[in-house]
Amino acid sequence: MSLNRRNFLGRTAVTGAGVALAGAVGTVPAEAESSARRKKRYSFTVMGTTDLHGNVFNWDYFTDAEFDDKAHNDVGLAKISTLVNQVRAEKGRRNTLLIDAGDTIQGTQLSYYYAKVDPITGANGPVHPMAQAMNAIGYDAAALGNHEFNYGIPTLRKFQEQCRFPILGANALDAKTMRPAFPPYVMKTVCTPHGRDVRVAVLGLTNPGIAIWDKANVQGKMVFPGLEEQAAKWVPKLRSMGADVVIVSAHSGSSGTSSYGDQLPYIENAAALVAEQVPGIDAILVGHAHTEIPEYRVTNKATGKQVVLSEPLKWGQRLTLFDFGLVWERGGWQVESVAAKVLNSNTVAEDRRITGMLGDEHRKVVAYVNQVIGTSSAAMGAAEAAYKDTPIIDFINHVQAETVRAALAGTAYASLPVLSQASCFSRTAAVPAGKVTIREVAGLYPFENTLEARVMTGAQVRAYLEFSARYYVRTAAGVPVDPAKLTNAEGVPDYNYDVVSGLSYEIDVAKAPGSRIVNLSFDGKPLVDSAEFVLAVNNYRASGGGNFPHVARAKQVWANSDEIRNTIIGWVKAKQSIDVAAFSSVDWKLTRDGVPVF
């Protein structure tokens, strides 16, 4: 006889004494035991990647060698494909889904080549390697990342057209209609052996910072409201449409912080806030922050239920697995359990199906980046660039300042002195003495930033330098200095520490952040607060990236749409030689109470 709620309650009311007695001797009522056995249960797995950044092969196009780092991680979709195949073999393909959380088509020379050199948007243009690989692997959905917009909306739309899965962005809205410019969600059906299938909704959310970081590409075309606001709008709709499981694929970190300060009223890294504030979400695939979070549980304030978050490491170094346990109750599938973990792609070989399919594209890019474009009078390396004034950073600043001066010639700003900012983007970047190739020059600037010119006062520049100097760990005078422990204070990444050329200054690391810049001078004289300068600055910094003071609101007097990396490559091609002595000088140093650290 079936045991429904009504006759179960009736029977327990009549036989309460018997139940109590049975409980006393440690047995379970037969009908309750039978009911537990008859409950239908089903489990399935959702796999996730994020921040692939154009990595298909386990290859570093800047070093022209197999990728490697200190932890011996591997990268690329070919490795991910092998892991995905293993999971599908173990779980059964029909019991799995595969999604991504964005930043797919920018980051390597492979992705650059098919955006700029042989663009997918050209007449009879090629299919993007990332689309080819992801189609072959069998992705079910991917969220928009902010870097999807770096090459402009036409390139993104062509990539979207080439993908056999939806690109999701519930909070990427058409600026005129305020309707979603991309599909907000996809509803997937997972077949079960128990009658009704499981309906799994995947909601895609992207980063509001796109409005700042890619302003030139999106202004007047798209707007990007906050993740929490749009999740609160869409999750109830998905539930009303019959979703048994709701997963969010969010190109947004979990820390609750923003790098653009008050430039936007939205939070950049809002994934945990979405979990906390929006009821009805079971799991969130986190992206954007380039951190590894195997499993992170957040309690929803409204329901008290836990939401499971996971962020696999960037570039295809990890694959997240969300394991869902469902039970059939109250006429539908209910999520009974969720657990997450990550798999390391360095434990498997590349899938030869993927590497073979894209071998020609890979060889074209390798040949392209190994073209010799000039010579250098001396070798330059970035190994010490995070804490010493090195020629390799001077070179970036030299090219940027020269480019801005040429652009401002004949304008009202031509007489202003030009300063330039640059960061140590890669401590392994190097330019050899002698012949120099595209890949060696491109390796100085791995990001797709473009160049701008902003007018700033001496006082604003001083505040900018003070903010930058927080990067160093406070170190008392006389204490031994370990360079490996001197930088990245409070988690500040190398790319958010700026060197500014055209000035002379010291950074006293024995002092507290905010009072470290000493002996700041211009042209041999103390910097005048009211003096005006033009700062050659990348668009990420100029638009608020890193939350540096003043620069985002400073007057823009020039901007370029070409990547700084391309500008440097073009400079070397035009000059055909890099004369290191022409720009190399020690203009800043670390000190403690006036004594140089190095």
Side-chain angles (χ1 to χ4, degrees):
M1 181 178 71
S2 65
L3 185 66
N4 61 35
R5 184 174 181 270
R6 181 176 295 171
N7 61 37
F8 175 73
L9 289 176
R11 286 178 180 272
T12 53
V14 173
T15 61
V19 171
L21 182 60
V25 296
T27 61
V28 178
E31 292 187 40
E33 187 178 55
S34 175
S35 172
R37 278 201 307 269
R38 285 200 300 271
K39 276 190 176 180
K40 297 175 183 177
R41 283 188 163 80
Y42 175 69
S43 61
F44 73 101
T45 297
V46 176
M47 298 173 280
T49 55
T50 191
D51 296 278
L52 292 168
H53 283 289
N55 285 280
V56 173
F57 297 83
N58 186 39
W59 192 260
D60 186 340
Y61 293 97
F62 295 136
T63 63
D64 200 26
E66 184 174 303
F67 177 88
D68 198 20
D69 62 11
K70 290 180 181 178
H72 302 298
N73 288 301
D74 287 346
V75 300
L77 276 170
K79 291 265 183 173
I80 290 295
S81 183
T82 302
L83 289 175
V84 168
N85 290 339
Q86 290 180 351
V87 174
R88 285 172 174 163
E90 176 190 347
K91 309 278 187 180
R93 177 153 188 163
R94 73 176 189 176
N95 302 318
T96 65
L97 295 173
L98 175 61
I99 63 176
D100 183 79
D103 275 6
T104 304
I105 59 171
Q106 172 278 335
T108 62
Q109 286 294 283
L110 181 73
S111 53
Y112 176 82
Y113 187 90
Y114 288 99
K116 294 290 189 177
V117 181
D118 185 12
I120 61 174
T121 51
N124 301 314
V127 177
H128 199 290
M130 294 300 287
Q132 290 191 59
M134 294 174 82
N135 287 340
I137 295 168
Y139 273 78
D140 292 288
L144 280 169
N146 54 284
H147 284 288
E148 258 67 85
F149 293 86
N150 285 176
Y151 295 120
I153 292 174
T155 297
L156 172 54
R157 288 299 191 192
K158 188 64 178 179
F159 174 72
Q160 180 188 21
E161 176 188 314
Q162 293 176 344
C163 291
R164 296 200 294 265
F165 53 89
I167 306 293
L168 308 176
N171 62 327
L173 309 181
D174 182 281
K176 293 179 180 177
T177 66
M178 296 304 287
R179 293 175 179 172
F182 295 83
Y185 67 90
V186 65
M187 191 79 77
K188 303 294 293 188
T189 300
V190 180
C191 298
T192 80
H194 302 301
R196 208 197 85 178
D197 297 332
V198 178
R199 292 170 62 84
V200 181
V202 181
L203 178 69
L205 296 170
T206 193
N207 207 288
I210 295 165
I212 286 177
W213 303 321
D214 267 299
K215 182 179 179 181
N217 290 326
V218 301
Q219 188 173 33
K221 299 173 183 175
M222 294 185 194
V223 295
F224 304 88
L227 283 84
E228 308 98 307
E229 167 194 322
Q230 293 301 303
K233 172 183 176 180
W234 284 101
V235 171
K237 289 185 179 181
L238 297 173
R239 289 294 183 182
S240 70
M241 291 164 60
D244 302 300
V245 179
V246 173
I247 301 167
V248 174
S249 184
H251 193 75
S252 179
S254 61
S255 65
T257 61
S258 287
S259 68
Y260 43 71
D262 59 357
Q263 296 298 297
L264 280 177
Y266 311 118
I267 294 174
E268 176 182 352
N269 296 303
L273 295 175
V274 170
E276 182 182 82
Q277 296 176 15
V278 181
I281 298 170
D282 297 300
I284 300 179
L285 178 65
V286 178
H288 183 61
H290 289 201
T291 57
E292 181 177 340
I293 305 174
E295 183 184 82
Y296 174 37
R297 294 178 179 268
V298 175
T299 301
N300 183 268
K301 286 186 174 180
T303 65
K305 292 183 178 179
Q306 287 194 330
V307 183
V308 177
L309 283 65
S310 181
E311 181 176 6
L313 199 58
K314 64 186 185 295
W315 304 346
Q317 295 179 44
R318 303 288 186 275
L319 175 71
T320 278
L321 302 187
F322 290 106
D323 290 314
F324 290 87
L326 276 62
V327 61
W328 184 269
E329 288 181 336
R330 301 186 298 278
W333 289 110
Q334 310 296 324
V335 174
E336 191 173 42
S337 65
V338 186
K341 64 181 179 181
V342 296
L343 303 182
N344 194 329
S345 66
N346 74 3
T347 62
V348 296
E350 291 182 309
D351 184 343
R352 292 183 179 179
R353 184 174 62 107
I354 303 301
T355 57
M357 181 178 68
L358 291 166
D360 287 346
E361 287 85 344
H362 175 65
R363 285 186 285 274
K364 282 181 184 179
V365 176
V366 168
Y368 163 74
V369 299
N370 279 292
Q371 292 179 51
V372 174
I373 55 172
T375 61
S376 178
S377 64
M380 298 184 289
E384 298 180 323
Y387 48 87
K388 290 183 182 180
D389 191 344
T390 54
I392 203 164
I393 305 300
D394 291 343
F395 177 51
I396 297 171
N397 276 326
H398 176 71
V399 174
Q400 290 183 163
E402 191 173 280
T403 301
V404 168
R405 285 191 198 97
L408 295 180
T411 72
Y413 303 95
S415 62
L416 292 181
V418 176
L419 312 178
S420 180
Q421 62 80 221
S423 304
C424 176
F425 296 114
S426 169
R427 298 197 192 194
T428 60
V431 172
K435 293 180 180 179
V436 176
T437 63
I438 285 178
R439 69 172 176 82
E440 288 157 345
V441 175
L444 304 182
Y445 219 111
F447 295 101
E448 308 292 341
N449 297 338
T450 57
L451 189 61
E452 296 189 15
R454 302 269 178 146
V455 176
M456 296 179 70
T457 66
Q460 290 173 334
V461 171
R462 184 188 299 274
Y464 187 102
L465 287 170
E466 284 286 9
F467 183 83
S468 183
R470 80 198 195 289
Y471 169 75
Y472 293 106
V473 174
R474 190 173 186 179
T475 310
V479 173
V481 175
D482 179 358
K485 299 177 181 179
L486 183 61
T487 62
N488 308 103
E490 298 182 7
V492 175
D494 291 350
Y495 62 78
N496 273 342
Y497 168 65
D498 285 0
V499 169
V500 175
S501 72
L503 302 169
S504 177
Y505 58 95
E506 298 173 9
I507 301 173
D508 191 331
V509 296
K511 297 182 183 298
S515 58
R516 290 180 165 178
I517 301 300
V518 294
N519 297 327
L520 177 58
S521 64
F522 169 72
D523 202 18
K525 298 176 182 177
L527 186 72
V528 177
D529 284 352
S530 60
E532 283 194 324
F533 300 89
V534 171
L535 179 67
V537 59
N538 69 55
N539 68 308
Y540 172 76
R541 188 71 76 237
S543 61
N547 202 21
F548 277 60
H550 306 300
V551 64
R553 289 191 170 86
K555 182 178 179 61
Q556 183 195 82
V557 293
W558 177 80
N560 188 12
S561 62
D562 204 11
E563 290 92 348
I564 293 170
R565 174 165 67 208
N566 238 20
T567 299
I568 301 172
I569 291 170
W571 187 96
V572 176
K573 283 182 175 178
K575 303 284 186 180
Q576 296 191 321
S577 64
I578 303 170
D579 181 6
V580 176
F583 55 77
S584 176
S585 61
V586 177
D587 297 310
W588 68 273
K589 58 188 174 184
L590 303 183
T591 62
R592 291 181 295 180
D593 296 341
V595 178
V597 174
F598 301 106

